[in-house]
Amino acid sequence: MKHRGRHRRRRRGRALRATLAGTALALTAAATLISASQATVADAPGALKPLAASDASGRLPLAEHRVPGRWLNRLASEMGPPVGVGTVLENADLPLRDAAGCSTAEKHSLPVEPAATRAYCFGGSDTRGWRAGAVTTSGDADDDGRWDGNRVILSGWTRGAEGGSMDGPAPGQGLAKVAFVDANEPGALRYTWALLAVPVDGGRDYRGLVSPLSGMVWYQDKLLVTTREGDRDALYVYDMDRIQRATVESDAVGRVRGGWAAHGYRFVLPAVGSYTLPGGDDAARPATVSLDRSTSPDSLVASEWVPADTDRRTRLWRYALSRDPARSGLLTTDSSGEAAPVEAYETKTADVRGVLARRSDWYLDRAAGSPGGHGTLWRQDTDGARATECGTDETRHCWSGGSGSLSYWEETGEVWSQSGRMLFALPLTSMDRALR
């Protein structure tokens, strides 16, 4: 698919914003009471500390690797021609429930302040035993907010016990899948699943990606996904025009008797590339990512995950995205095929589960410190930090409980995230007002 429509549909974008403004919800069931165990105000992390290019702690070059084209072509010749996002959405037959139809327990994970203006919940049968993770949208893919004329949300999930850490999946668990959500009708979202996979055996087969989906960015025709699958894996790359149909309904993954299976799902995305880390499993690792369109060129921002019980600071990085049409959706690399950060910072904020950057501001969501609790939303720059406050005791534990990644839909002005089975959105302007 050619990258199209970045500027010529601006007027439609203004109309869309007006439509979404008219459908905003007043969500009051997001848990207005916060337990006494969360009432203590956490110490402020202070300002971001810039890291110089010469500072070893800020360097995180990512080496780019491509899956050979002949591997992908062999898969396509065996499985049938690849399809695009539009075909997947035509099969979106599972409804997302509007907030009014979600349980009180599900809505408890929503932010208290600022409150979500739109919220939906996934069904229990197809997410039971799976853990929600990253979110990205067609607002990342194209700045007019649409892909092939469709508004789309991607919601990433990992098979495993709910509420697990970012250390990685338990043995025998960890398959990763993505919900393709048809968001053309804000009041009637529907979705279907696609399994993430990695080609093997020269493209004669594929295996499931086994990793938590803690970060995900759909940019142009590529989907970049964080991974902890191996010692050096950092990001896997998927092509949104190389989605394959599964031909056999089976819990197996890959080639099976009579065709191809994707753990019971209709579609599978085989990876087309990856970015690897410079060191072993003790190297810094991007754990959550998002897109920043406020820079030139557009950039990918990343945060590592540092547990709250350590004294090491969390590092943040920014990578430039390529302007080369032949490298659509990929990072800018040097002659050796490495992508080096163009900016790096340290922050005292720990347990970061979502990162967002706009100009000089960095938004970080910190996970709850206890099961069933609420997290903290920080905005930091090189001058200081500010958190949202709520409740009569002005606690800072106001963000979603199982904090997830953050994705800014520039065309609508909304930030999307998810917590538990809840997928939600709120205006970036309301976040900024709460962070004053």
Side-chain angles (χ1 to χ4, degrees):
M1 172 178 172
K2 295 181 180 178
H3 185 51
R4 56 173 76 97
R6 290 177 63 99
H7 301 292
R8 64 175 183 264
R9 295 190 288 265
R10 294 288 189 179
R11 285 178 291 179
R12 274 192 290 170
R14 289 191 290 270
L16 175 60
R17 283 191 293 273
T19 300
L20 294 180
T23 62
L25 303 173
L27 298 174
T28 59
T32 56
L33 296 178
I34 299 175
S35 67
S37 64
Q38 298 184 66
T40 302
V41 175
D43 293 334
L48 295 177
K49 176 187 175 184
L51 298 174
S54 58
D55 192 327
S57 63
R59 294 187 68 252
L60 190 65
L62 302 176
E64 184 176 288
H65 304 277
R66 301 283 192 100
V67 173
R70 65 182 182 278
W71 289 30
L72 300 169
N73 293 337
R74 181 176 286 141
L75 263 181
S77 67
E78 294 284 338
M79 299 185 69
V83 301
V85 174
T87 299
V88 178
L89 294 182
E90 289 172 3
N91 290 269
D93 55 0
L94 299 169
L96 272 169
R97 288 173 288 152
D98 188 83
C102 304
S103 70
T104 300
E106 288 170 327
K107 289 185 286 190
H108 177 77
S109 67
L110 290 171
V112 177
E113 177 65 28
T117 51
R118 290 207 274 163
Y120 311 87
C121 51
F122 285 86
S125 60
D126 56 340
T127 58
R128 187 171 295 113
W130 293 77
R131 184 171 64 250
V135 174
T136 185
T137 74
S138 54
D140 282 341
D142 197 332
D143 61 2
D144 77 344
R146 295 173 182 259
W147 190 255
D148 264 2
N150 292 297
R151 298 202 318 267
V152 190
I153 302 166
L154 302 184
S155 169
W157 294 71
T158 303
R159 191 174 74 176
E162 295 183 14
S165 74
M166 290 188 181
D167 290 335
Q173 298 181 330
L175 284 177
K177 65 180 182 179
V178 174
F180 280 67
V181 181
D182 182 341
N184 287 305
E185 298 295 333
L189 271 57
R190 306 183 72 82
Y191 66 97
T192 192
W193 295 104
L195 190 75
L196 297 185
V198 180
V200 297
D201 193 21
R204 297 175 182 86
D205 204 350
Y206 57 80
R207 60 176 177 80
L209 175 67
V210 179
S211 176
L213 288 190
S214 55
M216 189 165 63
V217 166
W218 175 10
Y219 183 66
Q220 298 180 6
D221 60 348
K222 301 298 192 301
L223 180 66
L224 305 178
V225 175
T226 60
T227 176
R228 294 189 61 90
E229 192 181 47
D231 287 350
R232 297 190 62 206
D233 299 319
L235 299 169
Y236 266 106
V237 183
Y238 294 88
D239 189 326
M240 301 299 275
D241 293 324
R242 278 192 174 271
I243 304 170
Q244 299 285 165
R245 291 182 185 268
T247 60
V248 175
E249 187 174 347
S250 166
D251 284 341
V253 176
R255 184 188 288 273
V256 296
R257 184 185 297 274
W260 301 83
H263 197 61
Y265 304 118
R266 297 187 182 103
F267 300 98
V268 59
L269 278 75
V272 300
S274 64
Y275 290 93
T276 57
L277 301 165
D281 57 5
D282 59 343
R285 179 187 299 271
T288 184
V289 293
S290 67
L291 178 70
D292 186 359
R293 290 189 179 275
S294 71
T295 59
S296 182
D298 297 339
S299 56
L300 181 87
V301 296
S303 169
E304 66 178 334
W305 177 65
V306 174
D309 58 358
T310 65
D311 56 5
R312 186 168 69 80
R313 294 189 177 188
T314 301
R315 283 162 291 188
L316 312 171
W317 303 275
R318 182 189 298 279
Y319 296 88
L321 286 154
S322 179
R323 285 173 164 165
D324 183 350
R327 292 179 47 77
S328 61
L330 299 174
L331 302 179
T332 298
T333 55
D334 59 21
S335 58
S336 65
E338 285 191 344
V342 295
E343 288 181 8
Y345 300 91
E346 280 186 348
T347 172
K348 293 179 182 178
T349 302
D351 208 1
V352 174
R353 300 303 175 100
V355 61
L356 192 68
R358 298 287 295 168
R359 303 178 181 87
S360 61
D361 290 328
W362 289 70
Y363 303 81
L364 307 174
D365 70 54
R366 178 176 181 174
S370 59
H374 283 78
T376 304
L377 179 66
W378 288 98
R379 184 180 62 201
Q380 289 183 263
D381 57 22
T382 54
D383 293 324
R386 176 70 179 171
T388 55
E389 297 178 356
C390 58
T392 56
D393 56 4
E394 296 183 343
T395 177
R396 290 172 177 167
H397 296 283
C398 310
W399 191 242
S400 63
S403 305
S405 68
L406 303 172
S407 178
Y408 178 57
W409 198 322
E410 183 176 27
E411 187 257 348
T412 68
E414 291 175 304
V415 175
W416 284 86
S417 186
Q418 63 183 11
S419 180
R421 291 194 178 98
M422 297 298 302
L423 176 70
F424 64 90
L426 68 167
L428 179 62
T429 53
S430 69
M431 290 170 55
D432 284 332
R433 283 196 298 270
L435 289 162
R436 286 175 183 167

